[in-house]
Amino acid sequence: MNRIEQKLQEDKKILSIYFSAGYPNLNDTVQIIQDLEKNGVDLIEIGLPFSDPLADGPTIQASSTTALHNGMTTQILFDQLKDIRKTVSIPLIIMGYFNPMLQYGVEAFCQKCAEIGIDGLIIPDLPVDVYAEEYKATFDKYGLINIFLITPQTSDERIRFIDSVSSGFIYMVSSASVTGSQAGFGSTQENYFKRIADLNLKNPQIVGFGINNAETFNQATQYAKGAIIGSAFIKHLSEEGSGKIADFVKAIG
């Protein structure tokens, strides 16, 4: 069983943290992953920096740009992570855009992920239909889970299709905006969370976009299995450096 599926079976709310590989400094990636696990994070999304990150807000875009300027590439990330499973046991997901994966070669990319011990991928600009027809067999061959995003605008029919070709979890985007632009959740979001919960999907949902503290984490996980924090963690890294990760995680509860 994939590590993501194992983790989701635990009787707890899942805290997932996203950060851009190669930020704040090129060689911080492994240390940040180790520190996050050590401080009780359940799942980590490692951002593969890209020059045109459509879904990302200013904070993540800036960290991605810095990482690229630091020299981060797909191959360097793979090189950094080659021994990660000697020290880290929680699920690891690479989140990035499809272009760098296509350039690397989709099968070669998936093979490398499997060798390293990556459990899944999140590719916001890979349409689910294209994935199902052209790439699912390759992902399955290498034991990789592909995580799809849904938004408040996604129809029930489309959500059920995504659920049918998915495993692991569904990434529930909290609102129709980019990352880091929300400050708390109102009744619109709570109604959306409840609507998705009432669909009784086979895959659990983890909420992303707009979670930045204990209050929003608790709001997001009232109906969902877990929540993802990205922009707020990157802000913490930019202000405090990578040495105070314990403080950040502790504040979420």
Side-chain angles (χ1 to χ4, degrees), residues 13-15 172-174 182-197 205-229 251-253:
K13 296 298 185 183
I14 300 295
L15 171 60
M172 189 158 69
V173 176
S174 64
Q182 290 287 305
F185 299 121
S187 58
T188 304
Q189 271 104 2
E190 293 198 4
N191 290 337
Y192 160 57
F193 297 159
K194 187 173 186 314
R195 172 172 78 89
I196 303 305
Q205 301 87 55
I206 296 184
V207 179
F209 292 44
I211 296 100
N212 49 31
N213 54 26
E215 183 189 358
T216 46
F217 179 83
N218 291 331
Q219 275 184 298
T221 56
Q222 187 180 347
Y223 296 105
K225 176 65 178 172
I228 301 155
I229 300 178
I252 306 300

Short mmCIF file of all heavy atoms in Angstrom, two decimals, residues 13-15 172-174 182-197 205-229 251-253:
data_model
loop_
_atom_site.label_atom_id
_atom_site.label_comp_id
_atom_site.label_asym_id
_atom_site.label_seq_id
_atom_site.Cartn_x
_atom_site.Cartn_y
_atom_site.Cartn_z
N LYS A 13 -6.58 14.09 12.05
CA LYS A 13 -6.60 15.08 10.98
C LYS A 13 -5.18 15.25 10.43
O LYS A 13 -4.22 15.33 11.19
CB LYS A 13 -7.13 16.43 11.50
CG LYS A 13 -8.57 16.39 11.97
CD LYS A 13 -9.53 16.01 10.84
CE LYS A 13 -10.99 16.09 11.29
NZ LYS A 13 -11.90 15.65 10.23
N ILE A 14 -5.07 15.27 9.12
CA ILE A 14 -3.78 15.31 8.46
C ILE A 14 -3.30 16.75 8.26
O ILE A 14 -4.03 17.58 7.71
CB ILE A 14 -3.87 14.63 7.06
CG1 ILE A 14 -4.31 13.16 7.20
CG2 ILE A 14 -2.55 14.75 6.30
CD1 ILE A 14 -3.34 12.26 7.91
N LEU A 15 -2.08 17.02 8.71
CA LEU A 15 -1.46 18.32 8.45
C LEU A 15 -0.40 18.12 7.37
O LEU A 15 0.57 17.39 7.57
CB LEU A 15 -0.80 18.89 9.71
CG LEU A 15 0.07 20.14 9.50
CD1 LEU A 15 -0.73 21.30 8.90
CD2 LEU A 15 0.73 20.58 10.81
N MET A 172 -8.85 19.68 -2.25
CA MET A 172 -10.02 20.55 -2.31
C MET A 172 -9.57 22.01 -2.16
O MET A 172 -9.25 22.46 -1.06
CB MET A 172 -11.02 20.16 -1.22
CG MET A 172 -12.35 20.85 -1.34
SD MET A 172 -13.68 19.98 -0.49
CE MET A 172 -13.25 20.20 1.20
N VAL A 173 -9.50 22.71 -3.27
CA VAL A 173 -9.13 24.14 -3.24
C VAL A 173 -10.28 24.90 -2.58
O VAL A 173 -11.44 24.78 -2.99
CB VAL A 173 -8.86 24.66 -4.67
CG1 VAL A 173 -8.57 26.15 -4.67
CG2 VAL A 173 -7.72 23.89 -5.31
N SER A 174 -9.96 25.69 -1.58
CA SER A 174 -11.01 26.28 -0.74
C SER A 174 -11.82 27.35 -1.44
O SER A 174 -12.96 27.61 -1.10
CB SER A 174 -10.40 26.87 0.54
OG SER A 174 -9.53 27.94 0.22
N GLN A 182 -6.42 34.15 0.83
CA GLN A 182 -7.56 34.10 1.74
C GLN A 182 -7.15 34.45 3.16
O GLN A 182 -6.02 34.23 3.57
CB GLN A 182 -8.15 32.68 1.76
CG GLN A 182 -8.85 32.30 0.46
CD GLN A 182 -10.17 32.99 0.31
OE1 GLN A 182 -11.03 32.92 1.17
NE2 GLN A 182 -10.34 33.69 -0.79
N ALA A 183 -8.09 34.97 3.93
CA ALA A 183 -7.86 35.17 5.35
C ALA A 183 -9.09 34.66 6.10
O ALA A 183 -10.03 35.39 6.34
CB ALA A 183 -7.63 36.65 5.66
N GLY A 184 -9.10 33.39 6.40
CA GLY A 184 -10.25 32.79 7.08
C GLY A 184 -11.32 32.35 6.10
O GLY A 184 -11.30 32.70 4.92
N PHE A 185 -12.27 31.58 6.61
CA PHE A 185 -13.32 31.03 5.77
C PHE A 185 -14.68 31.54 6.21
O PHE A 185 -14.98 31.59 7.40
CB PHE A 185 -13.32 29.49 5.84
CG PHE A 185 -12.03 28.88 5.34
CD1 PHE A 185 -11.27 28.08 6.17
CD2 PHE A 185 -11.60 29.11 4.05
CE1 PHE A 185 -10.09 27.51 5.72
CE2 PHE A 185 -10.42 28.54 3.58
CZ PHE A 185 -9.67 27.74 4.42
N GLY A 186 -15.50 31.92 5.24
CA GLY A 186 -16.86 32.36 5.53
C GLY A 186 -17.86 31.26 5.26
O GLY A 186 -17.50 30.11 5.00
N SER A 187 -19.13 31.63 5.28
CA SER A 187 -20.18 30.63 5.11
C SER A 187 -20.16 30.00 3.72
O SER A 187 -20.51 28.83 3.55
CB SER A 187 -21.55 31.26 5.37
OG SER A 187 -21.76 32.36 4.49
N THR A 188 -19.72 30.76 2.71
CA THR A 188 -19.64 30.21 1.34
C THR A 188 -18.72 29.00 1.31
O THR A 188 -19.05 27.95 0.76
CB THR A 188 -19.12 31.28 0.35
OG1 THR A 188 -19.96 32.42 0.44
CG2 THR A 188 -19.12 30.76 -1.07
N GLN A 189 -17.54 29.16 1.92
CA GLN A 189 -16.58 28.04 1.93
C GLN A 189 -17.10 26.88 2.77
O GLN A 189 -16.97 25.72 2.38
CB GLN A 189 -15.23 28.49 2.50
CG GLN A 189 -14.28 29.03 1.46
CD GLN A 189 -14.19 30.53 1.51
OE1 GLN A 189 -14.81 31.15 2.37
NE2 GLN A 189 -13.46 31.11 0.61
N GLU A 190 -17.70 27.20 3.91
CA GLU A 190 -18.18 26.13 4.77
C GLU A 190 -19.30 25.34 4.09
O GLU A 190 -19.36 24.11 4.22
CB GLU A 190 -18.64 26.70 6.12
CG GLU A 190 -17.46 27.25 6.92
CD GLU A 190 -17.75 27.42 8.39
OE1 GLU A 190 -18.85 27.06 8.83
OE2 GLU A 190 -16.86 27.92 9.10
N ASN A 191 -20.15 26.03 3.33
CA ASN A 191 -21.21 25.33 2.57
C ASN A 191 -20.60 24.44 1.50
O ASN A 191 -21.08 23.32 1.25
CB ASN A 191 -22.16 26.35 1.92
CG ASN A 191 -23.01 27.07 2.94
OD1 ASN A 191 -23.22 26.56 4.05
ND2 ASN A 191 -23.51 28.25 2.60
N TYR A 192 -19.54 24.93 0.89
CA TYR A 192 -18.82 24.14 -0.13
C TYR A 192 -18.19 22.90 0.50
O TYR A 192 -18.32 21.78 -0.02
CB TYR A 192 -17.78 25.04 -0.79
CG TYR A 192 -16.64 24.38 -1.51
CD1 TYR A 192 -16.84 23.46 -2.56
CD2 TYR A 192 -15.32 24.70 -1.18
CE1 TYR A 192 -15.77 22.90 -3.23
CE2 TYR A 192 -14.24 24.14 -1.85
CZ TYR A 192 -14.47 23.24 -2.88
OH TYR A 192 -13.40 22.68 -3.54
N PHE A 193 -17.51 23.07 1.64
CA PHE A 193 -16.91 21.92 2.32
C PHE A 193 -17.99 20.87 2.64
O PHE A 193 -17.76 19.67 2.47
CB PHE A 193 -16.23 22.34 3.64
CG PHE A 193 -15.07 23.29 3.47
CD1 PHE A 193 -14.65 24.09 4.54
CD2 PHE A 193 -14.38 23.40 2.27
CE1 PHE A 193 -13.57 24.95 4.42
CE2 PHE A 193 -13.31 24.27 2.13
CZ PHE A 193 -12.90 25.05 3.20
N LYS A 194 -19.15 21.34 3.11
CA LYS A 194 -20.22 20.41 3.47
C LYS A 194 -20.78 19.73 2.21
O LYS A 194 -21.07 18.54 2.22
CB LYS A 194 -21.33 21.16 4.22
CG LYS A 194 -22.40 20.23 4.76
CD LYS A 194 -23.39 20.95 5.64
CE LYS A 194 -24.36 19.98 6.30
NZ LYS A 194 -24.93 18.97 5.39
N ARG A 195 -20.92 20.50 1.12
CA ARG A 195 -21.43 19.92 -0.14
C ARG A 195 -20.55 18.77 -0.60
O ARG A 195 -21.06 17.71 -0.99
CB ARG A 195 -21.49 21.00 -1.23
CG ARG A 195 -21.82 20.45 -2.63
CD ARG A 195 -22.07 21.56 -3.65
NE ARG A 195 -20.87 22.18 -4.16
CZ ARG A 195 -20.20 21.76 -5.24
NH1 ARG A 195 -20.58 20.67 -5.88
NH2 ARG A 195 -19.14 22.42 -5.66
N ILE A 196 -19.25 18.95 -0.52
CA ILE A 196 -18.34 17.89 -0.96
C ILE A 196 -18.41 16.70 -0.02
O ILE A 196 -18.45 15.54 -0.45
CB ILE A 196 -16.88 18.42 -1.06
CG1 ILE A 196 -16.79 19.62 -2.01
CG2 ILE A 196 -15.94 17.30 -1.52
CD1 ILE A 196 -17.34 19.39 -3.41
N ALA A 197 -18.47 16.97 1.28
CA ALA A 197 -18.58 15.89 2.26
C ALA A 197 -19.82 15.05 2.01
O ALA A 197 -19.80 13.81 2.12
CB ALA A 197 -18.58 16.46 3.68
N GLN A 205 -10.85 14.03 1.37
CA GLN A 205 -10.46 15.34 0.84
C GLN A 205 -9.50 16.03 1.81
O GLN A 205 -9.65 15.92 3.03
CB GLN A 205 -11.67 16.24 0.62
CG GLN A 205 -12.71 15.68 -0.35
CD GLN A 205 -13.71 14.79 0.34
OE1 GLN A 205 -14.36 15.18 1.29
NE2 GLN A 205 -13.83 13.54 -0.11
N ILE A 206 -8.53 16.73 1.24
CA ILE A 206 -7.64 17.58 2.02
C ILE A 206 -7.75 18.98 1.44
O ILE A 206 -7.67 19.17 0.23
CB ILE A 206 -6.19 17.05 2.01
CG1 ILE A 206 -6.15 15.67 2.70
CG2 ILE A 206 -5.26 18.02 2.69
CD1 ILE A 206 -4.78 15.07 2.86
N VAL A 207 -7.97 19.96 2.31
CA VAL A 207 -8.25 21.33 1.86
C VAL A 207 -6.95 22.12 1.74
O VAL A 207 -6.08 22.07 2.62
CB VAL A 207 -9.19 22.05 2.86
CG1 VAL A 207 -9.46 23.48 2.40
CG2 VAL A 207 -10.49 21.28 3.02
N GLY A 208 -6.81 22.86 0.65
CA GLY A 208 -5.68 23.75 0.46
C GLY A 208 -6.13 25.14 0.07
O GLY A 208 -7.29 25.34 -0.32
N PHE A 209 -5.25 26.12 0.17
CA PHE A 209 -5.49 27.53 -0.13
C PHE A 209 -6.24 28.18 1.04
O PHE A 209 -7.39 27.87 1.29
CB PHE A 209 -6.30 27.76 -1.42
CG PHE A 209 -5.62 27.39 -2.71
CD1 PHE A 209 -4.91 26.20 -2.85
CD2 PHE A 209 -5.69 28.23 -3.82
CE1 PHE A 209 -4.30 25.85 -4.04
CE2 PHE A 209 -5.08 27.89 -5.02
CZ PHE A 209 -4.38 26.69 -5.14
N GLY A 210 -5.58 29.07 1.74
CA GLY A 210 -6.25 29.86 2.77
C GLY A 210 -6.07 29.35 4.18
O GLY A 210 -6.64 29.91 5.12
N ILE A 211 -5.29 28.27 4.37
CA ILE A 211 -5.07 27.78 5.73
C ILE A 211 -3.74 28.35 6.23
O ILE A 211 -2.71 28.13 5.61
CB ILE A 211 -5.05 26.23 5.79
CG1 ILE A 211 -6.42 25.69 5.38
CG2 ILE A 211 -4.73 25.73 7.18
CD1 ILE A 211 -6.53 25.21 4.01
N ASN A 212 -3.80 29.10 7.31
CA ASN A 212 -2.57 29.77 7.75
C ASN A 212 -2.37 29.78 9.27
O ASN A 212 -1.39 30.31 9.76
CB ASN A 212 -2.55 31.22 7.24
CG ASN A 212 -3.84 31.95 7.53
OD1 ASN A 212 -4.51 31.67 8.52
ND2 ASN A 212 -4.20 32.88 6.66
N ASN A 213 -3.29 29.17 10.02
CA ASN A 213 -3.15 29.13 11.48
C ASN A 213 -4.05 28.03 12.04
O ASN A 213 -4.72 27.32 11.27
CB ASN A 213 -3.52 30.50 12.10
CG ASN A 213 -4.90 30.98 11.67
OD1 ASN A 213 -5.77 30.19 11.32
ND2 ASN A 213 -5.09 32.29 11.68
N ALA A 214 -4.05 27.89 13.36
CA ALA A 214 -4.83 26.82 13.99
C ALA A 214 -6.33 26.97 13.70
O ALA A 214 -7.03 25.98 13.46
CB ALA A 214 -4.58 26.83 15.50
N GLU A 215 -6.82 28.21 13.70
CA GLU A 215 -8.27 28.45 13.48
C GLU A 215 -8.69 27.98 12.09
O GLU A 215 -9.69 27.26 11.94
CB GLU A 215 -8.58 29.94 13.65
CG GLU A 215 -10.06 30.25 13.50
CD GLU A 215 -10.35 31.75 13.45
OE1 GLU A 215 -9.40 32.55 13.58
OE2 GLU A 215 -11.53 32.10 13.28
N THR A 216 -7.95 28.41 11.06
CA THR A 216 -8.35 28.01 9.69
C THR A 216 -8.12 26.52 9.46
O THR A 216 -8.86 25.87 8.73
CB THR A 216 -7.61 28.85 8.63
OG1 THR A 216 -6.22 28.94 8.96
CG2 THR A 216 -8.19 30.25 8.53
N PHE A 217 -7.10 25.95 10.13
CA PHE A 217 -6.88 24.49 10.03
C PHE A 217 -8.09 23.76 10.59
O PHE A 217 -8.61 22.81 9.98
CB PHE A 217 -5.61 24.08 10.78
CG PHE A 217 -5.34 22.60 10.73
CD1 PHE A 217 -4.72 22.02 9.64
CD2 PHE A 217 -5.73 21.77 11.78
CE1 PHE A 217 -4.48 20.65 9.58
CE2 PHE A 217 -5.51 20.40 11.73
CZ PHE A 217 -4.87 19.83 10.63
N ASN A 218 -8.58 24.20 11.73
CA ASN A 218 -9.73 23.54 12.36
C ASN A 218 -10.99 23.73 11.54
O ASN A 218 -11.81 22.81 11.43
CB ASN A 218 -9.92 24.06 13.79
CG ASN A 218 -8.81 23.60 14.72
OD1 ASN A 218 -8.21 22.54 14.50
ND2 ASN A 218 -8.49 24.38 15.73
N GLN A 219 -11.17 24.93 10.96
CA GLN A 219 -12.33 25.17 10.10
C GLN A 219 -12.29 24.23 8.88
O GLN A 219 -13.29 23.62 8.52
CB GLN A 219 -12.31 26.62 9.59
CG GLN A 219 -12.93 27.64 10.52
CD GLN A 219 -12.94 29.01 9.85
OE1 GLN A 219 -11.89 29.58 9.52
NE2 GLN A 219 -14.12 29.54 9.62
N ALA A 220 -11.13 24.16 8.26
CA ALA A 220 -10.99 23.37 7.03
C ALA A 220 -11.20 21.89 7.28
O ALA A 220 -11.71 21.16 6.42
CB ALA A 220 -9.62 23.60 6.41
N THR A 221 -10.82 21.42 8.48
CA THR A 221 -10.89 19.98 8.75
C THR A 221 -12.17 19.56 9.46
O THR A 221 -12.32 18.41 9.86
CB THR A 221 -9.67 19.52 9.57
OG1 THR A 221 -9.59 20.29 10.77
CG2 THR A 221 -8.39 19.68 8.77
N GLN A 222 -13.10 20.50 9.58
CA GLN A 222 -14.39 20.13 10.18
C GLN A 222 -15.10 19.08 9.32
O GLN A 222 -15.73 18.16 9.84
CB GLN A 222 -15.27 21.38 10.32
CG GLN A 222 -16.56 21.13 11.09
CD GLN A 222 -17.41 22.37 11.23
OE1 GLN A 222 -16.97 23.49 10.96
NE2 GLN A 222 -18.65 22.19 11.64
N TYR A 223 -15.00 19.23 8.00
CA TYR A 223 -15.63 18.29 7.09
C TYR A 223 -14.62 17.44 6.31
O TYR A 223 -14.99 16.45 5.70
CB TYR A 223 -16.52 19.03 6.08
CG TYR A 223 -17.69 19.74 6.72
CD1 TYR A 223 -17.69 21.13 6.88
CD2 TYR A 223 -18.79 19.03 7.17
CE1 TYR A 223 -18.76 21.78 7.47
CE2 TYR A 223 -19.87 19.67 7.77
CZ TYR A 223 -19.85 21.05 7.91
OH TYR A 223 -20.91 21.69 8.50
N ALA A 224 -13.37 17.86 6.30
CA ALA A 224 -12.36 17.19 5.47
C ALA A 224 -11.37 16.43 6.35
O ALA A 224 -11.29 16.64 7.56
CB ALA A 224 -11.62 18.22 4.62
N LYS A 225 -10.61 15.55 5.70
CA LYS A 225 -9.65 14.70 6.42
C LYS A 225 -8.42 15.49 6.89
O LYS A 225 -7.78 15.14 7.88
CB LYS A 225 -9.21 13.56 5.50
CG LYS A 225 -8.14 12.63 6.06
CD LYS A 225 -8.63 11.86 7.27
CE LYS A 225 -7.54 10.90 7.77
NZ LYS A 225 -7.91 10.27 9.05
N GLY A 226 -8.08 16.55 6.16
CA GLY A 226 -6.88 17.29 6.52
C GLY A 226 -6.81 18.62 5.81
O GLY A 226 -7.74 19.02 5.10
N ALA A 227 -5.69 19.31 6.00
CA ALA A 227 -5.50 20.61 5.36
C ALA A 227 -4.03 20.82 5.04
O ALA A 227 -3.14 20.24 5.68
CB ALA A 227 -6.02 21.73 6.25
N ILE A 228 -3.80 21.66 4.04
CA ILE A 228 -2.47 21.94 3.52
C ILE A 228 -2.13 23.40 3.80
O ILE A 228 -2.93 24.30 3.53
CB ILE A 228 -2.43 21.70 2.00
CG1 ILE A 228 -2.79 20.24 1.68
CG2 ILE A 228 -1.06 22.06 1.42
CD1 ILE A 228 -3.36 20.04 0.28
N ILE A 229 -0.93 23.63 4.32
CA ILE A 229 -0.46 24.99 4.54
C ILE A 229 0.76 25.22 3.66
O ILE A 229 1.72 24.45 3.72
CB ILE A 229 -0.10 25.22 6.03
CG1 ILE A 229 -1.34 24.98 6.90
CG2 ILE A 229 0.44 26.63 6.23
CD1 ILE A 229 -1.09 25.14 8.38
N ALA A 251 2.34 26.00 16.53
CA ALA A 251 1.28 27.01 16.53
C ALA A 251 0.01 26.52 15.82
O ALA A 251 -1.09 27.00 16.09
CB ALA A 251 1.77 28.30 15.88
N ILE A 252 0.17 25.55 14.92
CA ILE A 252 -1.02 25.01 14.23
C ILE A 252 -1.77 24.06 15.14
O ILE A 252 -2.96 23.86 15.02
CB ILE A 252 -0.60 24.28 12.92
CG1 ILE A 252 0.25 25.18 12.02
CG2 ILE A 252 -1.83 23.75 12.15
CD1 ILE A 252 -0.42 26.45 11.57
N GLY A 253 -1.05 23.48 16.09
CA GLY A 253 -1.69 22.56 17.02
C GLY A 253 -1.45 21.15 16.56
O GLY A 253 -2.11 20.22 16.92
#
